[in-house]
Structure formats: C-alpha cells, structure tokens
Amino acid sequence: MPVIVVAGTPRAFSKTTIGFHLNLLNPMTLRAKPYSAAMFAAFVFVCGLLPRLSYVYSMEIDYPFRADAGKYLQLAINLVENHGYSLAESAPFTPSTLISPGYPAFLAAILDATGDIQHFYNAVLLSQALLSSLTVVGAFYLALRIGGLQAAVPAGLLVALSPQLIIGAGYILTETLSSFLITFCLALLLAGFSRGRPTLFVACGVVLALAAYVRPAVLLLPGTLLPLAWWTRNHLKNCLIMAVTAAVIWSPWQIWQFKHRQAGEVSLAAAALTLGGYPDLIFKSPEFKAYPYREDPQYAAMSQSLGEAYRVIRERAAAEPWKFLKWYVFGKPMMYWQAEEVAGPGGPYVYNINSSVFTRQAIPAASLNGMMALHPFIIALTAAACLWTLIDLCRRRSSPATQPAWLLCAALVVYFTAVHTVLAPLPRYAFPIYPIAYALAAGLVARMPAWLRRRADETT
C-alpha cells in the first residue's frame, strides 16, 4: 500500500402502457441466461478491481489529509479517541455541525479497528477500492435492466475504467462511498418495483438515509421520485414508505444539528449555495477560479446564512442578469458534468498525486487519456437518454425510455444536475453519479436501433 510521503396526465397511464409491469426485465435481458449475466458481472468486477488496486498500491501523495480530507480525519479521530463529534484538535471538543457524519463514521470504524495512522490509511484505500469495484457491478446491473447484456457489459467496462472513479478510491473523500450507496439504493429501488415488496422499499429508505449521511444532497431525491410515482400511478404507497423511512433515520442528525449549532459556524448548505453563486466560480480575478472566497469580503457572512447568501446573489444577479442567466442555465450544468476537476491540479485529480500507475505505465496512461476524451460523448448520450424519457412521458408514449430502470436512472441524473445548478457545480460532485450516467448512455446505444426500426415499421 502507498506510504504517506510528507513533503511540503396520470390516468392516461397504465402499468402496461408505461412499462411499469412487475417484470421489469425486457426481452433482451430475459434471453440472457442467469449464469451468463453472473459471469459477465464477475468479469466487470475484476476489470474494476485490478486498476483500482494497482492505483492505490502505486500512488504517491505528499499528504493525503489536506483540506476536506483533513476535516474528515479529525472528526474520525475525535469520534474514536474523544467520544465526540468535533473538528477541534484539543479540548474543549466543541461539537461541529458542518459535516454530516456518514463518512467520518466510516473512517472512525476503520481507525478503531486498525489503531495507527498508516494501517488506517492503507485499510481505507483498500476498502474504497473494493467498494468502487462493487459499484462497477451495480452499474452493470442497472444497465442490464435498461438494455440487456449488450448495454450492461459496455457500461460496466466504462465504469471500471473511469479515471475519476479509480482515482477517487485513493482520496480520503466521500465520492467513493457515496457512489456505492447511491448505486446500491437505486438497485434496491428497482428490485422493489419489480417485486412489489414493501420491505425492499424500507431497505431502500435505509440505504438512502445512509447515502444522505455521506452526501446530504441525496436526501431530497424522494421529492423527485414521489411525483414520478404519482404520475405513473405505480408504487406511490411504497415510495412513501421509502421516503418516511429515510426521513426517520435522518432526523436524529437534524435534531443534533439544531441543538449543537454554534454561533458563527459555517452552514454547509449556505456555503454550497454561495460558491455556486459566482459565475465560472470567479469573483474578480481568474487566478482565484474555484476559490472566490479568497477575495470576496462578503463570503464569510454568506457562508453562515442561507438568507444572506440568497440576498447577495440576488443583488449581484440583478446588476448583471445576462451573465448570471448564462451561468445558471448553461454554465453550471456543463461544469458539473465536465471531466476535469476545476478545483484541483488538472485532469481528473482533486488533489495532486506525485506519481501513480497512470504516470508510470503507458497502458494505464492511455486508458486515462482515452476515457477523458470519451467522457463528453458519454454525457451527451446520457443527456439524450434523459431527453427521450421527458419527450415520451409528455406524449404518454410507451418506449424503452419510459420503462422503470431507464426512467429512474434518468430521474436521478436530472435530480442531481438540478441540485448542483442551484448549489456548487464542482465536477467531483458528479463523480458518484457516473455509474448511473454511463448505464443510461450504454442503454441508449443498445436500445435505440431496435426502437427506431419498430417505429419505422409502425409508420409504413
């Protein structure tokens, strides 16, 4: 493992019409033998595991516990050693409400089991490599439900080779764990729609709450799914069960936050809204791109209050309406889905990596460059898949894009894009959604030809 180098109309729809029949597997999937799907799932798992292990074993980083990573580590240390949830490095350990406790609790469990910092670090990287590889299998499963094996295998391989997801496993950041939980949650939701068992929706609610503890933006996802369930007149009651389960599990953190919020403490929601309020993430000087708070004297007050953040952004937008309109309608979605991290050293990297398998070997380097070049086309296909869903839903027309797996994946992609069109659109916040986006893109390529042929036959 790497050594830490310290250097410097609803009624018009029916279950049959919209495709919400209990058997969600389309004919292509049904023709695939179970053992074939299992064999290919194992194949893509290995294809995901090998580059992740190679990367985390080969990477060299000056100091992995910087910025956000350092905060997660400090919270984990205080949970284990000082029995409190605090960012303080010494007594008194004042409670902190800035960061939701999902990822720090994950780190604390590993720290408690390993003891010293080097074994802890190695164990975290290995755990994240395994979780990220399981996410590859999750993407394979989603694509299998969307377009059969001809979609599942390409989707699995794309996720397996995604440099953002491989490199993400090497950072002490939330992206790997949240990606696994979000993908697992969606897989459980699909199983719930397929079998109609309330217990599966309860389980989905549990995983959804866990994902929200890691990435709070997930929490409002039922606000997208419930209208969709009402519109399609299917599983509305079960979706309510899921939403209530998630809300109940999330509520202790909300209560704890309310009781322990410190005067003048930064609000995570306000900070995200504030950062997203700078067009191109620039206040005045382009050299401070992605770091506008370094030169904006109003940032501190804005990051502590949603009301203050909204007020200042509204005033600035009124002074330059066209600039802000372009930013919120086009700029933020495009930045959110771009392959390069704007707040990092370049490319898919969030923090600088001195050396890794990507810099020392030709094949991994070519894979990274190829995936970075391919990424815009994959996201364009994902956008087309979401647009197809929207058009056929509005026309109340049955199509592959209105079947549950496709529909739910598209809803999730649209949801996260909308959230980060309001909040900060840092590209790394989209990394956990790549498995769903890639599954949609592969499903579009697999299903579109047959759909076009059928539509042509219907018109002749």
Side-chain angles (χ1 to χ4, degrees), residues 120-141:
F120 157 78
Y121 181 57
N122 293 341
V124 170
L125 296 189
L126 180 58
S127 299
Q128 293 189 157
L130 292 172
L131 287 175
S132 187
S133 302
L134 291 172
T135 305
V136 175
V137 180
F140 174 90
Y141 172 77

Side-chain angles (χ1 to χ4, degrees), residues 223-289:
T224 299
L225 298 181
L226 287 173
L228 197 58
W230 174 83
W231 181 253
T232 58
R233 298 182 66 83
N234 193 267
H235 288 294
L236 177 58
K237 180 179 178 180
N238 285 331
C239 286
L240 281 170
I241 291 173
M242 175 195 69
V244 170
T245 301
V248 168
I249 296 175
W250 173 261
S251 58
W253 170 245
Q254 287 290 89
I255 295 170
W256 194 90
Q257 274 190 309
F258 178 78
K259 289 182 177 181
H260 296 89
R261 179 74 186 271
Q262 305 296 311
E265 187 176 21
V266 171
S267 164
L268 190 61
L273 179 65
T274 300
L275 183 58
Y278 299 97
D280 296 321
L281 301 186
I282 297 172
F283 178 57
K284 288 182 179 179
S285 307
E287 57 264 33
F288 290 116
K289 183 173 183 175

